[in-house]
């Protein structure tokens, strides 16, 4: 459903890091951003989020399996190149009242995904489609 709403222009998808699991969240966010530096943000994210190994070595091994330049990737991790970005996204999310993922905003209001919110999204989409048609 979300894919269709985004594809038709009724919704916009944004990804923001929320660091609600302490150091593993920070490690995952940094590793994902370092993968993105080599054009593989989503590939890295999708594979990394299915792992239980959020260690540096685990991230570098995944980078190697995705044919990334592991030296560049490891340097990015070790230097915490994207720390300011991910911490900034976390602070902004917290200030907006978001502390879980996924979170959906509808016309500026939002909350964590649950059945009631999904129904609200579907109703809003139907309303917007009927207004356009």
């Amino acid at each position: 459903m979300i894919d269709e709403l985004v594809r038709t222009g009724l919704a916009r998808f944004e990804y923001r890091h929320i660091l609600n699991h302490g150091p593993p969240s920070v490690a995952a966010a940094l590793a994902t951003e370092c993968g993105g530096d080599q054009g593989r943000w989503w590939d890295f994210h999708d594979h990394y989020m299915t792992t239980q190994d959020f260690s540096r070595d685990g991230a570098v091994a995944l980078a190697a399996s995705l044919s990334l330049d592991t030296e560049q990737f490891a340097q990015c991790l070790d230097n915490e190149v994207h720390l300011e970005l991910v911490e900034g996204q976390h602070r902004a999310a917290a200030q907006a009242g978001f502390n879980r993922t996924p979170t959906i905003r509808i016309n500026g209001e939002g909350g964590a995904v649950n059945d009631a919110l999904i129904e609200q999204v579907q109703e809003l989409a139907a309303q917007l489609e009927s207004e356009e048609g």
Side-chain angles (χ1 to χ4, degrees), residues 71-114:
E71 186 175 323
Q72 177 186 338
F73 181 87
Q75 265 188 329
C76 179
L77 279 181
D78 294 343
N79 294 329
E80 297 183 331
V81 170
H82 299 289
L83 186 60
E84 187 176 319
L85 169 78
V86 300
E87 286 180 339
Q89 287 184 359
H90 176 76
R91 279 191 304 276
Q95 289 172 347
F98 302 135
N99 60 6
R100 296 175 32 179
T101 59
T103 299
I104 294 177
R105 294 180 90 175
I106 300 171
N107 294 331
E109 302 296 321
V113 173
N114 58 39

Side-chain angles (χ1 to χ4, degrees), residues 5-129:
L5 293 173
V6 170
R7 185 176 41 75
T8 61
L10 292 173
R12 183 177 70 224
F13 179 84
E14 295 180 9
Y15 187 98
R16 307 291 170 135
H17 295 288
I18 296 180
L19 309 174
N20 55 355
H21 295 292
S25 289
V26 175
L30 291 175
T32 299
E33 291 297 330
C34 291
D37 287 348
Q38 297 184 47
R40 303 292 298 273
W41 198 99
W42 279 112
D43 291 334
F44 194 91
H45 171 273
D46 291 349
H47 286 90
Y48 200 52
M49 293 303 130
T50 64
T51 185
Q52 298 299 311
D53 185 0
F54 293 108
S55 69
R56 178 194 182 280
D57 290 344
V60 172
L62 178 57
S65 77
L66 294 173
S67 301
L68 299 181
D69 177 332
T70 55
E71 186 175 323
Q72 177 186 338
F73 181 87
Q75 265 188 329
C76 179
L77 279 181
D78 294 343
N79 294 329
E80 297 183 331
V81 170
H82 299 289
L83 186 60
E84 187 176 319
L85 169 78
V86 300
E87 286 180 339
Q89 287 184 359
H90 176 76
R91 279 191 304 276
Q95 289 172 347
F98 302 135
N99 60 6
R100 296 175 32 179
T101 59
T103 299
I104 294 177
R105 294 180 90 175
I106 300 171
N107 294 331
E109 302 296 321
V113 173
N114 58 39
D115 289 342
L117 190 55
I118 290 171
E119 288 175 17
Q120 187 180 1
V121 169
Q122 290 171 326
E123 290 171 12
L124 182 60
Q127 177 186 349
L128 291 171
E129 286 176 351

